[in-house]
Amino acid sequence: MSLIELKNVTLGYDKHIVLKHLNINIEDKDFICIVGPNGSGKSTLIKGILGLIKPMKGKVVYNGLKQNFIGYMPQETKVDSNFPASVMEIVLSGTLNSSHSIFYTKENKDTALYNLRLLGIEKLKNKSFCDLSGGQRQKVLLARSLCATSKLLILDEPSNNLDSKSKKELYDTVVGLNKEHGITILMVTHDLDHNNLIGNKVLSLREDDIFFGSIDEFVRRVHND
Ligand code: ADP
């Protein structure tokens, strides 16, 4: 079943076109790695899918999925790591999408606790975010983005600035969310080359050379280049 379809979508800013004629079908339970050099349009694509920018041409179709029920984890650099808040407060803030009140409900708190448990970090809930290691912070931010969704997570370079052990742990966690909990994943990554990509599909953005398909097809293509 298709969750999101990009139909002949062109994205950009004012008159500056960044990505042209995208035809992409994001299926339920897909795990898609988005790769490409800096400036190739990875963030622009994410903004287009999140509805933060409107397509210049074509359309994005959401099948049974409300835009604000997509979980989104921005790059770590975009979150102030000295923010004086507890882990629970940070994770709870992820429930605001589905809340109509300025106060957190019991349901919001249960959702936050559920996701802390899901990622095995419940014991961190009363700690201050600034006292955590890089890997722990990323898991907290992942738990926050999960509070918005049980369907689709968009992760923008989640392993940025992590050491190799924490990177592996984070990727294992994301693979588990996809395989064991059926969550569809779209992940921008810069540190997985074609030999160690994870997931089932790749979207490679490279100026006018856009590839979308299985990892096997992508690897064959890279070897034939
Ligand atoms: P990536 O995420 O792959 O590094 P981006 O999507 O950030 O690439 O950028 C793609 C192109 O769009 C770049 O040429 C960049 O300068 C341009 N761009 C990004 N954001 C804006 C913006 N808000 N206004 C105008 N141009 C932008």
Side-chain angles (χ1 to χ4, degrees):
M1 189 190 85
S2 159
L3 280 188
I4 298 181
E5 284 172 82
L6 277 72
K7 294 187 171 179
N8 208 19
V9 167
T10 294
L11 292 167
Y13 307 90
D14 297 323
K15 289 193 174 116
H16 171 47
I17 292 178
V18 177
L19 294 164
K20 273 191 286 195
H21 311 309
L22 289 175
N23 284 294
I24 294 165
N25 201 355
I26 302 168
E27 311 245 11
D28 194 23
K29 302 189 177 36
D30 264 347
F31 185 152
I32 302 171
C33 282
I34 304 172
V35 299
N38 272 345
S40 59
K42 302 181 296 296
S43 302
T44 302
L45 173 72
I46 287 179
K47 286 184 219 164
I49 293 174
L50 289 170
L52 300 174
I53 56 171
K54 281 210 161 105
M56 297 163 117
K57 281 191 190 151
K59 62 177 175 179
V60 182
V61 180
Y62 303 89
N63 295 319
L65 188 77
K66 290 188 188 149
Q67 256 157 285
N68 62 344
F69 284 88
I70 298 176
Y72 170 52
M73 178 168 156
Q75 288 184 24
E76 206 228 359
T77 48
K78 292 179 185 152
V79 176
D80 183 356
S81 42
N82 292 317
F83 190 60
S86 74
V87 165
M88 187 64 178
E89 283 167 322
I90 299 241
V91 176
L92 260 175
S93 68
T95 63
L96 288 174
N97 266 354
S98 57
S99 181
H100 301 292
S101 156
I102 54 164
F103 299 107
Y104 294 116
T105 61
K106 179 171 184 310
E107 197 185 339
N108 295 147
K109 288 175 190 158
D110 288 347
T111 303
L113 275 176
Y114 172 83
N115 288 309
L116 282 166
R117 266 182 222 131
L118 188 66
L119 299 188
I121 50 169
E122 193 188 357
K123 62 180 186 309
L124 299 180
K125 72 178 181 200
N126 296 320
K127 291 219 171 208
S128 171
F129 186 68
C130 27
D131 292 338
L132 304 182
S133 69
Q136 287 172 327
R137 281 182 192 173
Q138 289 305 78
K139 280 199 183 169
V140 170
L141 297 176
L142 191 58
R144 177 175 71 165
S145 58
L146 276 169
C147 286
T149 191
S150 53
K151 271 269 175 221
L152 174 67
L153 265 187
I154 299 184
L155 312 173
D156 194 351
E157 302 199 2
S159 65
N160 245 2
N161 306 322
L162 295 185
D163 58 47
S164 54
K165 182 170 170 274
S166 307
K167 255 180 209 175
K168 184 177 177 317
E169 224 182 286
L170 187 76
Y171 284 144
D172 287 348
T173 304
V174 179
V175 167
L177 290 174
N178 175 252
K179 287 225 164 95
E180 286 151 37
H181 298 276
I183 297 176
T184 306
I185 311 274
L186 244 68
M187 182 176 83
V188 175
T189 172
H190 66 286
D191 62 359
L192 295 174
D193 76 11
H194 62 276
N195 289 315
N196 57 13
L197 281 167
I198 51 176
N200 64 332
K201 291 181 189 165
V202 186
L203 174 60
S204 166
L205 306 175
R206 231 166 248 281
E207 297 201 4
D208 281 336
D209 182 21
I210 292 176
F211 168 88
F212 179 59
S214 72
I215 293 184
D216 286 351
E217 282 173 90
F218 182 64
V219 171
R220 273 201 298 275
R221 196 168 187 265
V222 172
H223 286 300
N224 288 335
D225 271 352

